[in-house]
Structure formats: C-alpha cells, structure tokens
Amino acid sequence: MLNLHHLRLFRAVATEGTLTGAAGRLNLSQSALSTQIKALEASLGHDLFERRGRGLVLTEAGRIALEHAETIFRTAEDLSATLRERGQVRRALRVGALATLSRNFQMQFLEPLVGRADVEVVLRSGNQSDLLRGLDAMAYDVVLTNLAPARDAASPWRVQRIASQPVSLIGTPLRAARAPMALPELLTFAPLVLPTPETALRAAFDGLIDQLGITPNIAAEADDMAMLRLLARADAGFAVIPPIAVRDELRQGVLVELKQLDGIDETFLAITRARRFPNPLMTELLGA
C-alpha cells in the first residue's frame, strides 16, 4: 500500500529542493526525513531524487511521482472543501479577475449571485500568471480574463467564452460635437486614448489602422479599463473601449459613443480548472 504520509514528505522535499529545508519546514530531523523518503523509494521501486551539488533534483520517476502526488492531494483538499461547504448555510464562490478587466463586466457576470443570502462572493484581482497559479491551487473557482491562456494537451484549464462586446470610440459630448465623422480623419486627427500595446484590444486596433494606412494621434495609453474611462471623462481624447466599461457614463450623458469600430471586439473568458468536485455555483453562472 502506498503510504500517503511518505508521499506528503516527498512533495515537501521536491518543493524545497533540499532535505535540510524540507526538514525545517516539517519540523523533522534530516535523518528521519531521509529514512522516510528511502522507504517511499523502496515501495515504488525507483529513485525519486538525484543529488546535484548541495541540492536534490527529481529523477524522471520523481517527476511522475510528484505529478500524481499533486493530483492526490488536490483531490483530497477539494473533497474536504466540498463537504465542509455543504454543511454551511452560505456557500462561497472565489473569483479571480484580471486587474485590467472592466469592473462593469465583472458585476454583470456575477449579478445572479450578488446579494443572495446563501452566497458569499470573494473577488480578488491580479495579473494573469498569479491568477492561474491560484486557480491551479484551488484558491479560486474561476478566473475572469480577456486573455486566453496558453494550453496544450496536458493543460488543466477549461476556457469558456462568456461574452463578446463591441469596441467604440467614446468621448465627451463637446468633443464628439466637434469631431469629423469619417473614420480615417477621426483616427488621424482626433486625440486618442488607447490600451497599451501588449493588450489584445490594442493589437486589433493596430491592425485596423494598418489596414486604413494611417498614423493615429495618441494622447494617452493605459492598461486598465478604469483608467481609460477616467481619461475619457477628463476629455483627454476619444477612448478605444467597450461601451460596457463606461455604461454608467453613457446613461448619464457624461460620455457619448461616437462610432463603433467594426471588426474589433473585446472577448471575455471564464477559466476554470478540471475538478472532480466543481463548485455548484459555477454551474449556475456558466450553465451545465
């Protein structure tokens, strides 16, 4: 029988890279930890580590063992969390959102659950790599983003497209009243507030201006939807932004939608991890 205690100790050594570091973290003597690891290697019939300098690196068998160990412990944690929450009155939904994602879109997505007495929504923002690490560790049930993650056959991610919004030129009513209406002249002479070059939205916009053969008048750039909205409100120029990001300003007449940019849209994605015990609240949001 595989000893799960030995497997947990093995995972700690693989993470730390040294017996000394793992022993200190586990509050064990180095000799006791070494004995336990040797017992696991004997039960599996393979060496799991090889020594390089002062550290330990995984052998091929060790890498396979670590992959299975992570799956075993994630399943155990998932089961424990699922059964704990079934006994509670309130269920938690843990959401990670890309820091630059439209807050209005996030609220629209979560609206079916917001305010429910039986649901607690925990929402945290961050960069894509940190959010995916948190999702892999089951700190989040879902990650909301507009950036599709790199995937291959071994990737655990499930990516679902949940919305696609048009992108428009948005500005103040006074600026819109003075602006030329032909798109090439508008993009050439009017000051523009643009997403930064590393964003998918900016890549699509740059493709449009290349197609039109023009050089835009860039007044400002920002990687955050909230900052693009504030710059448009401050009349820095016409913002290239999905109308949903400035929905309240459009309703109030603070900003107006001058022209929709055909062929450019903002795609919103929900990323989940393959789990044996998915949060049932995700089924309500995404469908079966």
Side-chain angles (χ1 to χ4, degrees):
M1 293 288 291
L2 183 64
N3 188 314
L4 294 184
H5 176 63
H6 289 169
L7 202 60
R8 189 179 296 277
L9 299 182
F10 157 71
R11 185 173 65 163
V13 176
T15 302
E16 292 291 333
T18 65
L19 280 172
T20 303
R25 193 177 105 189
L26 297 167
N27 198 25
L28 291 173
S29 69
Q30 185 172 333
S31 60
L33 180 57
S34 177
T35 299
Q36 304 272 24
I37 296 301
K38 288 178 180 177
L40 177 62
E41 290 178 325
S43 69
L44 294 176
H46 294 277
D47 291 336
L48 301 178
F49 295 101
E50 63 181 35
R51 183 169 293 280
R52 289 188 187 171
R54 296 184 178 180
L56 296 173
V57 297
L58 291 168
T59 63
E60 182 179 359
R63 286 193 296 271
I64 294 171
L66 181 60
E67 181 180 339
H68 284 276
E70 295 290 0
T71 300
I72 289 168
F73 290 120
R74 272 197 298 263
T75 301
E77 291 162 5
D78 202 2
L79 174 60
S80 178
T82 298
L83 295 180
R84 278 199 309 269
E85 291 193 1
R86 282 182 179 174
Q88 297 175 352
V89 175
R90 292 169 66 86
R91 291 178 295 169
L93 179 72
R94 299 170 182 86
V95 181
L98 192 66
T100 57
L101 201 65
S102 164
R103 271 55 170 178
N104 284 342
F105 164 72
Q106 295 176 43
M107 288 302 300
Q108 179 176 292
F109 175 74
L110 297 170
E111 189 175 8
L113 301 180
V114 172
R116 276 179 40 174
D118 63 331
V119 175
E120 176 188 359
V121 177
V122 181
L123 183 61
R124 293 188 174 90
S125 61
N127 62 58
Q128 182 102 336
S129 58
D130 287 344
L131 292 174
L132 291 180
R133 279 194 292 270
L135 183 63
D136 192 39
M138 292 186 294
Y140 304 119
D141 297 302
V142 62
V143 166
L144 302 179
T145 182
N146 55 7
L147 302 173
R151 289 190 295 166
D152 55 30
S155 298
W157 313 131
R158 293 178 176 173
V159 181
Q160 185 167 336
R161 177 172 170 169
I162 51 179
S164 181
Q165 299 285 339
V167 174
S168 299
L169 292 176
I170 305 287
T172 62
L174 182 60
R175 182 175 294 279
R178 299 196 305 254
M181 292 307 294
L183 186 61
E185 288 77 15
L186 187 60
L187 296 179
T188 301
F189 299 109
L192 300 177
V193 177
L194 300 178
T196 49
E198 67 272 12
T199 61
L201 181 53
R202 176 62 179 273
F205 177 79
D206 288 347
L208 173 63
I209 62 173
D210 286 345
Q211 181 181 351
L212 294 174
I214 60 176
T215 300
N217 175 16
I218 302 176
E221 296 179 338
D223 65 356
D224 182 78
M225 285 289 177
M227 183 55 68
L228 291 173
R229 176 178 63 85
L230 291 175
L231 287 167
R233 287 187 59 139
D235 202 23
F238 289 111
V240 175
I241 193 170
I244 190 175
V246 289
R247 180 181 56 195
D248 296 338
E249 285 82 0
L250 292 175
R251 288 175 179 171
Q252 297 163 5
V254 175
L255 296 173
V256 295
E257 182 180 4
L258 182 64
K259 190 176 290 290
Q260 184 172 314
L261 299 177
D262 294 336
I264 301 180
D265 57 24
E266 179 85 317
T267 300
F268 299 102
L269 307 171
I271 305 175
T272 54
R273 192 189 189 287
R275 293 171 61 169
R276 295 189 181 183
F277 304 101
N279 191 323
L281 293 172
M282 287 308 305
T283 302
E284 297 185 38
L285 288 176
L286 297 177

